[in-house]
């Protein structure tokens, strides 16, 4: 397993993150058939629809152990166990399973996501879409790539020149009933203005789909740093623009991602709908 030699080695971080994400994915794929919606391995978090499985926790523990062995002074922020570590300028941002409900139901839209942040800036990101055998990678300034079926990486570019009315737009929904009600109102208003809507169930996979040109844009309220850190770099390195509403950065308020020419039109539509509000 390759180890980065210093805090600026983006490609070294990428190699290490990819090795770890692949190992976690292999573990999850091997253990997934034994899962059951009736088992005691399932808990809830923010609401009865917000689930976490024993394998979410096992995946994060594996990832943390591998990072700590290779880079013992670095900090780690994970969805399940929060932030811990040393005083390094390097922070790893981990989502052990993005798309847990899909994972639970045997749907293919779930991924292991690992990003590396140096002094507050994401420099490397890996999104391993395990059921598809697809690994999306990006290093800051080095582009975004997709490796599928063990084959070499394909350079990714997002779709450009797509007007709003012909845009295929991915989105997602939160777990709280009040937030979902507002998101339903927003998507109902967006739908007549675009080609169509897609709801995959994983922020990381949706952002990588923007990078790969499988959808033209993505927006969602309520996603967390670990959901979009790695995939956001993949999308940005593929030429997409990431942000929030009204000049805010991408964040829990709203993540919006599209080619720069489409970003403006979709942004203005979402801003007119107050898409970053709650009930």
């Amino acid at each position: 397993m390759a180890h980065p030699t210093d805090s600026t080695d983006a490609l070294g971080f990428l190699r290490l993150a990819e090795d770890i994400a692949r190992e976690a994915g292999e573990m999850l794929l091997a253990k997934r058939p034994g899962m059951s919606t009736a088992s005691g391995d399932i808990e809830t978090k923010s609401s009865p629809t917000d689930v976490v499985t024993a394998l979410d926790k096992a995946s994060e523990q594996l990832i943390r152990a591998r990072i700590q062995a290779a880079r013992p002074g670095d900090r780690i922020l994970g969805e399940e166990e929060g932030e811990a570590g040393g005083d390094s300028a390097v922070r790893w941002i981990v989502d052990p399973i993005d798309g847990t409900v899909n994972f639970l139901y045997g749907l293919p839209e779930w991924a292991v996501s690992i990003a590396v942040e140096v002094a507050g800036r994401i420099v490397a990101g890996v999104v391993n879409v395990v059921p598809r055998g697809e690994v999306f990678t990006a290093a800051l300034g080095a582009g975004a790539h997709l490796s599928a079926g063990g084959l070499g990486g394909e350079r990714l570019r997002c779709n450009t020149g797509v007007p709003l009315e012909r845009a295929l737009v991915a989105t997602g929904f939160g777990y709280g009933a009040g937030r979902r009600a507002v998101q339903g109102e927003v998507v109902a208003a967006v739908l007549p203005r675009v080609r169509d809507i897609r709801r995959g169930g994983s922020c990381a996979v949706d952002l990588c789909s923007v990078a790969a040109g499988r959808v033209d844009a993505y927006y969602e309220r309520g996603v967390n740093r670990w959901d979009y850190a790695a995939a956001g770099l993949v999308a940005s390195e593929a030429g997409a623009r990431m942000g929030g509403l009204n000049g805010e950065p991408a964040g829990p308020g709203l993540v919006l991602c599209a080619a720069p020419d489409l970003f403006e039109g979709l942004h203005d539509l979402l801003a007119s709908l107050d898409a970053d509000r709650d009930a």
Side-chain angles (χ1 to χ4, degrees):
M1 185 178 289
H3 295 177
T5 56
D6 60 49
S7 64
T8 62
D9 186 2
L11 292 175
F13 284 124
L14 183 61
R15 288 189 293 269
L16 178 57
E18 184 174 356
D19 286 344
I20 296 170
R22 287 182 182 275
E23 183 179 353
E26 289 169 1
M27 181 273 289
L28 290 167
L29 202 59
K31 296 188 175 184
R32 167 62 186 80
M35 294 296 295
S36 165
T37 55
S39 83
D41 291 334
I42 300 168
E43 305 169 18
T44 59
K45 294 189 284 187
S46 63
S47 80
T49 57
D50 186 7
V51 299
V52 58
T53 70
L55 286 177
D56 284 272
K57 298 177 181 178
S59 177
E60 183 164 321
Q61 288 165 1
L62 183 156
I63 293 167
R64 284 179 179 270
R66 298 297 182 269
I67 295 169
Q68 289 166 349
R71 303 269 312 182
D74 291 353
R75 294 173 291 144
I76 304 170
L77 171 64
E79 179 178 11
E80 306 307 333
E81 297 184 15
E83 184 164 352
D87 56 2
S88 167
V90 178
R91 181 171 72 157
W92 298 71
I93 303 174
V94 174
D95 194 337
I97 307 177
D98 186 52
T100 299
V101 173
N102 288 345
F103 173 80
L104 188 63
Y105 278 84
L107 297 170
E109 303 289 311
W110 59 269
V112 177
S113 175
I114 303 175
V116 184
E117 180 186 76
V118 178
R121 190 173 192 184
I122 303 296
V123 301
V126 176
V127 178
N128 181 7
V129 187
V130 183
R132 293 181 179 171
E134 294 183 339
V135 180
F136 294 85
T137 59
L140 186 63
H145 296 83
L146 167 60
S147 299
L151 301 177
E154 168 196 353
R155 182 74 179 254
L156 298 176
R157 297 300 299 176
C158 69
N159 295 335
T160 58
V162 180
L164 181 63
E165 63 270 18
R166 293 208 297 270
L168 184 62
V169 179
T171 193
F173 305 104
Y175 294 108
R179 175 167 291 178
R180 285 185 171 189
V182 173
Q183 288 173 320
E185 293 173 10
V186 170
V187 78
V190 170
L191 182 57
R193 302 284 302 276
V194 300
R195 182 189 296 274
D196 208 346
I197 295 289
R198 293 291 180 269
R199 195 283 199 261
S202 164
C203 169
V205 177
D206 283 343
L207 285 168
C208 289
S209 292
V210 174
R214 295 172 179 173
V215 297
D216 300 306
Y218 162 78
Y219 78 90
E220 187 169 354
R221 172 165 171 75
V223 292
N224 294 297
R225 182 72 165 159
W226 48 77
D227 297 312
Y228 62 84
L233 182 65
V234 173
S236 296
E237 287 291 321
R241 178 178 169 185
M242 284 264 295
L245 291 187
N246 303 312
E248 292 295 317
L254 195 87
V255 171
L256 170 58
C257 181
D261 51 354
L262 176 58
F263 184 99
E264 293 293 344
L266 184 55
H267 169 276
D268 292 349
L269 174 57
L270 292 170
S272 73
L273 298 169
D274 294 324
D276 55 353
R277 63 189 161 93
D278 278 329

